[in-house]
Amino acid sequence: RAVYSSGGGYPNISLSTPLPGIPKPVFASVDGQEKYETKITTLENGLKVASQNKFGQFCTVGILVNSGSRHEAKYPSGIAHFLEKLAFSSTAQYGSKDEILLTLEKHGGICDCQTSRDTTMYAVSAEVKGLDTVVSLLSDAVLQPRLLDDEIEMTKMAVRFELEDLNMRPDPEPLLTEMIHAAAYRGNTVGLPRFCPVDNVDKIDKTMLHSYLRSYYCPERMVLAGVGIEHEQLVECARKYLLDAKPVWGTSTAANVDLSVAQYTGGIIKMEKDMSDVSLGPTPIPELTHIMIGLESCSFLEDDFIPFAVLNMMMGGGGSFSAGGPGKGMFTRLYLNVLNRHHWMYNATSYHHSYEDSGLLCIHASADPRQVREMVEIITREFIQMAGNAGEMELERAKTQLKSMLMMNLESRPVIFEDVGRQVLSTGKRKLPHELCHLISNVTAGDIKRVATKMLRSKPAVAALGDLTELPSYEHIQAALSSKDGRLPRMYRLFR
């Protein structure tokens, strides 16, 4: 069939026909699942080592510690916040943060520390051949920090700045999340402040940090996780640098660990705040009042966690200005029922926060202060409708969206690292993405109805920020969420 085409010396051979005189291609193949499963080894001192192979010349390795703001009941709040800022400063081996950065740079590496309410994560991404140096550096940064006076002073400045910034941001979402946790779990565990309260900045010193670290930074509360490396290599490095490592604060005493379980209380936290000048400029954001309403969902260890994740995806939402398009969630309920019908709603978004012993599903909405009452009623009606029958189409769409989001996120190495680390830290094993997808596929409309009904039995948690003159009382919001249609009790006022 070698008919020559007019435009050049290439014969018109169909693409599926092998070309003459060229050796048969050898295709790369996946050798079953075994290369991609997560391998876990527990060392003699209780430290877990978990790894996931991934092709590439870079790896992400880090230490996750079961320690965060939820463990600060016996301490002034803010220790976890301080430790996050102090991470990768001078250690026993390294004289300064710059020395650490220079060492990492030799292997094309970067480091980062992030703290959440229940986990502190020290991570490094670098070339695979620098693994030995990286694990040695991590061990040093986590167990041998110098915590010098001037480093602590710098941290106090950084924390103060961050607190000011938190109150001045045009996007109050982090502040509202903080408030709703405080309302939902009043005075305990995940309801304790994640950011250091202003009054505590000066109370925290080296002695106190050491006392905290002694209780929480012990090997049985840690995982060394790695993505993009051979498991045996990682275990070898762990034995070398983490098995007999003596922390600078002395041997740990696990006796003082706070094991309290999250107690969901519900409640309301209000912050009257003048939001009229949040963002001045050529296109000022109008003055808004922000409301977040949440109900207790479940912990990520329960089977209902998956239906709740699907429900959260089905609610979806976002801002009133969106460059829509396929996959942007324009067909989620908060878009169809709220933002598209009520032009004055500025934002409506669903969030799901989940911990090892409880969870919170909340909706954040914002609008002009004069429309707060109506806005609250729209949210309470959406909550009540969650317990109705979910349409087949919207349910399938939410499940597909959740699966694609999961798979897309798990393309990235740091995300796989965090997933491996967190799952192994909290459960001692890891559910692989295809297992999670299978669980998501099995969610039915009945499951959604069941979990929503269970959730609606809990007391609401409410956070309100801005001009709150029109805000209905907590009792009215609670009444609306216990009613059939989610409407607020009618108020008849003589003098309107």
Side-chain angles (χ1 to χ4, degrees), residues 146-164:
R146 290 191 195 172
L147 306 178
L148 304 171
D149 292 346
D150 56 342
E151 288 172 344
I152 290 179
E153 283 310 310
M154 286 294 285
T155 301
K156 288 182 178 176
M157 274 169 53
V159 167
R160 282 201 184 94
F161 174 78
E162 198 170 324
L163 293 174
E164 271 179 48

Side-chain angles (χ1 to χ4, degrees), residues 196-399:
C196 179
V198 177
D199 307 344
N200 287 1
V201 177
D202 286 321
K203 293 183 191 162
I204 296 174
D205 58 12
K206 186 172 173 173
T207 324
M208 190 180 291
L209 292 171
H210 273 186
S211 145
Y212 177 87
L213 290 162
R214 205 171 293 126
S215 300
Y216 291 96
Y217 277 42
C218 45
E220 58 273 24
R221 298 178 67 86
M222 293 183 186
V223 169
L224 172 69
V227 175
I229 36 162
E230 293 294 336
H231 187 69
E232 283 63 44
Q233 266 183 300
L234 190 61
V235 172
E236 197 182 316
C237 290
R239 286 192 183 284
K240 189 164 157 192
Y241 297 113
L242 288 160
L243 187 54
D244 304 313
K246 293 278 171 282
V248 62
W249 45 82
T251 19
S252 53
T253 46
N256 302 330
V257 171
D258 181 3
L259 296 171
S260 31
V261 175
Q263 300 297 315
Y264 181 89
T265 58
I268 185 164
I269 286 190
K270 300 190 251 194
M271 208 162 126
E272 285 275 358
K273 192 170 157 201
D274 178 16
M275 308 277 275
S276 52
D277 55 356
V278 166
S279 65
L280 301 169
T283 51
I285 293 181
E287 183 186 350
L288 298 172
T289 293
H290 295 265
I291 302 287
M292 206 180 247
I293 297 180
L295 291 165
E296 186 177 21
S297 58
C298 74
S299 89
F300 57 64
L301 300 172
E302 293 172 59
D303 294 340
D304 284 349
F305 173 62
I306 302 285
F308 270 118
V310 173
L311 174 61
N312 178 48
M313 208 65 183
M314 196 164 82
M315 299 312 293
S320 61
F321 172 80
S322 165
K328 293 282 194 323
M330 302 305 277
F331 284 96
T332 54
R333 283 193 186 179
L334 293 178
Y335 263 112
L336 295 179
N337 305 350
V338 178
L339 293 162
N340 297 354
R341 289 188 191 172
H342 307 281
H343 63 93
W344 46 268
M345 286 280 275
Y346 201 80
N347 185 317
T349 319
S350 171
Y351 295 96
H352 188 212
H353 304 280
S354 203
Y355 303 97
E356 62 187 359
D357 43 16
S358 181
L360 190 63
L361 186 101
C362 31
I363 295 178
H364 167 206
S366 57
D368 183 287
R370 288 164 299 195
Q371 268 146 333
V372 170
R373 190 185 158 82
E374 209 175 332
M375 164 167 73
V376 169
E377 189 167 73
I378 287 166
I379 305 176
T380 53
R381 288 194 348 228
E382 281 306 314
F383 267 116
I384 294 294
Q385 277 159 24
M386 289 181 193
N389 293 319
E392 189 187 345
M393 184 90 158
E394 62 170 348
L395 180 62
E396 281 313 307
R397 188 182 274 125
K399 282 156 67 172

